[in-house]
Amino acid sequence: MTEHNLSENLIEGRVVPTHRTANFSAGPAALPTAVLQRAQAELLDYNGLGVSVMEISHRSPAFMEIAEHARNTLRNLLCVPNTHEILFLQGGATLQFTGVPLNLLGGADAENDADYLVTGAWSQKALVQAAAMELGNCRCVATGEPNYSTLPSGWCSQNAAYFHYCSNETVHGLQLEIRDIAPFVADKVPIVCDMSSDILSKPLDVSRFGLIYAGAQKNIGPAGLTLVIVDKSLLGRAHNYCPPVLNYTVQAQNDSMANTPPTFAWYLAGLVFEWVAEQGGVAAMAQKNTQKAALIYDAIDSSGGFYRNDVAQKYRSAMNVPFFLPNEALTNRFIAGATENGLLHLKGHKLVGGIRASLYNAVPLPAVQQLAEFMNEFARKNG
Ligand SMILES: *Cc1c(COP(=O)(O)O)cnc(C)c1O
C-alpha cells in the first residue's frame, strides 16, 4: 500500500514526519494531523500537571479552562450571538432526535405540533424517532423519497412548535442552505437543524436558528461529543419526562456539566476549533471545501456517464459525494484499486451502495487531488 505524507502542518515550527493515508471515511472521520500531534505531545503530561486531560476532574481549574476556551473559540468561529447557549453533550446526534421533542414539545403551554422536512436517511430517522415519542404531532411537511435527489417543493411550515431539517444528508449527499429553507417557514416558527456533517464547513448565520445540533465525529472531533446551540428563548419548555442530562435548560444552568461530560472529546474538539481558526476560520474552510468538492464532481461529470451522481446540481453536498459506477463488479474493483493506492474508506453507505467520498475539513486537498486522478484514470481504463 502506498503511504502518503499528508501532514500540512508544523508543530511549534518542527516538521513532524507522519505517514497518514488519504481517509475519506464518512464518520468517525479524518482529524487534522496537527491536532492529533498536539494531543499526542500533551497526552502524558498536560501543561505540566503530570497527568493527561483524561485523568483530571471535569471540575478542576485545568479542565474548566479547557472547556471554557473551547466554548469561546467556537463562539468566535461561528459568531454565535449571546442570545444562544452552546452545550457540550453526549449521546450523538441520534439522541437529539428524541432530545429535541422532549425539550420543545409537551410543555404546559407549548404548541404541540412539529414540522419535519425529509430530504434523506437522517432527517427521515429524526422524524420517525420524534414521532414515536408521542409528545405531540410530528408531521412530515414534504419528503424527497425515494431518491432524495432534490429539495421537495410545495410545502410550508406555519404553525408549529418548531420546524426540523437536516442541512447535509450524509448518506444521500444532499446539502441545503438556510436560504433554501427559510422562505417556507413562518418567522415565528423556530428552525431546528441537524448539522452533524457540515457544521464548521462554511460560515453560518446562527441567529436564523432556534436550535442546531451536531454529533462531533464528522467535522468537530472524536465520537462521544454532541454540540447543541440553542436560542435561550426556547429554554424552560422541556417535558417532565425529559431526563436532566438531555434537558437543555438544566445543562445550560450547569455549563454542560449536569453530569460528567466527555472530557477528552471536549478537549480534542477545542484543539480542532483552534486549528480551524488558524486555517483562517470557516470562510477559509468553505473556500477549500468548494475546491475539493469541485475536483470530485468534475471527475464524475467529465466521465461521460461512467460515474453517476443524481443529486440536483444546486443541492450537491460539498461534504459527502456519493457516486455510482455502471455495475457492482466495477464498484468492487474501484474500491480495491483505490485501497491499493492508499485511498481509504470509500465504500458507499449500505442503504445506497456505490461509492461515497467524504471531504470534511480535515481531509487535505492533496488527498482529494489523488482521488480525482485515480477516478479519471479508472474511468479511462474501464469506461
Ligand atoms: C452521523 C449522523 C447522525 C448520527 O450521529 P450519531 O453520532 O451516530 O448519533 C445524525 N445525523 C447526521 C446528519 C449524521 O451525519
Side-chain angles (χ1 to χ4, degrees), residues 91-95 97 122 166 168-170 194 196-197 215 217-218:
T94 305
L95 191 60
F97 295 166
W122 285 116
C166 175
N168 186 67
E169 290 284 357
T170 319
D194 177 357
S196 293
S197 53
Q217 70 272 22
K218 278 78 182 230

Side-chain angles (χ1 to χ4, degrees), residues 34-263:
V35 164
L36 294 177
Q37 287 171 325
R38 171 134 174 229
Q40 183 181 44
E42 295 178 340
L43 188 67
L44 296 184
D45 178 8
Y46 177 75
N47 207 13
L49 292 180
V51 289
S52 80
V53 172
M54 281 178 276
E55 303 168 290
I56 55 176
S57 165
H58 54 295
R59 313 223 180 260
S60 64
F63 189 77
M64 296 287 258
E65 197 182 310
I66 289 169
E68 194 55 29
H69 184 64
R71 200 188 282 114
N72 291 338
T73 311
L74 180 66
R75 192 173 281 281
N76 290 334
L77 275 178
L78 290 180
C79 306
V80 179
N82 285 328
T83 46
H84 286 61
E85 288 279 352
I86 301 176
L87 307 177
F88 290 77
L89 307 180
Q90 307 194 47
T94 305
L95 191 60
Q96 296 307 322
F97 295 166
T98 44
V100 167
L102 276 165
N103 276 278
L104 303 184
L105 291 181
D109 51 4
E111 289 201 57
N112 268 329
D113 297 328
D115 285 342
Y116 280 73
L117 177 68
V118 176
T119 52
W122 285 116
S123 50
Q124 168 69 17
K125 263 197 172 168
L127 168 61
V128 168
Q129 295 192 17
M133 301 293 292
E134 295 185 355
L135 295 174
N137 185 19
C138 293
R139 312 174 288 211
C140 173
V141 290
T143 174
E145 263 180 318
N147 298 323
Y148 297 121
S149 54
T150 193
L151 172 63
S153 56
W155 58 273
C156 67
S157 176
Q158 281 181 324
N159 289 297
Y162 63 89
F163 165 84
H164 179 282
Y165 80 107
C166 175
S167 58
N168 186 67
E169 290 284 357
T170 319
V171 174
H172 289 88
L174 180 125
Q175 192 168 24
L176 299 167
E177 302 292 333
I178 182 67
R179 65 171 175 272
D180 302 323
I181 299 298
F184 308 104
V185 182
D187 286 342
K188 63 175 196 256
V189 179
I191 296 178
V192 175
C193 187
D194 177 357
M195 290 194 191
S196 293
S197 53
D198 72 347
I199 194 165
L200 293 176
S201 71
K202 58 184 179 177
L204 180 66
D205 182 358
V206 173
S207 70
R208 307 288 294 269
F209 296 88
L211 191 146
I212 292 165
Y213 64 93
Q217 70 272 22
K218 278 78 182 230
N219 234 352
I220 295 170
L225 173 75
T226 312
L227 274 186
V228 168
I229 303 175
V230 58
D231 188 329
K232 290 173 189 168
S233 71
L234 295 178
L235 299 179
R237 301 186 181 187
H239 193 278
N240 287 342
Y241 291 166
C242 185
V245 291
L246 203 50
N247 186 317
Y248 307 142
T249 312
V250 172
Q251 287 288 15
Q253 286 163 348
N254 289 279
D255 293 331
S256 303
M257 294 189 189
N259 69 328
T260 312
T263 52

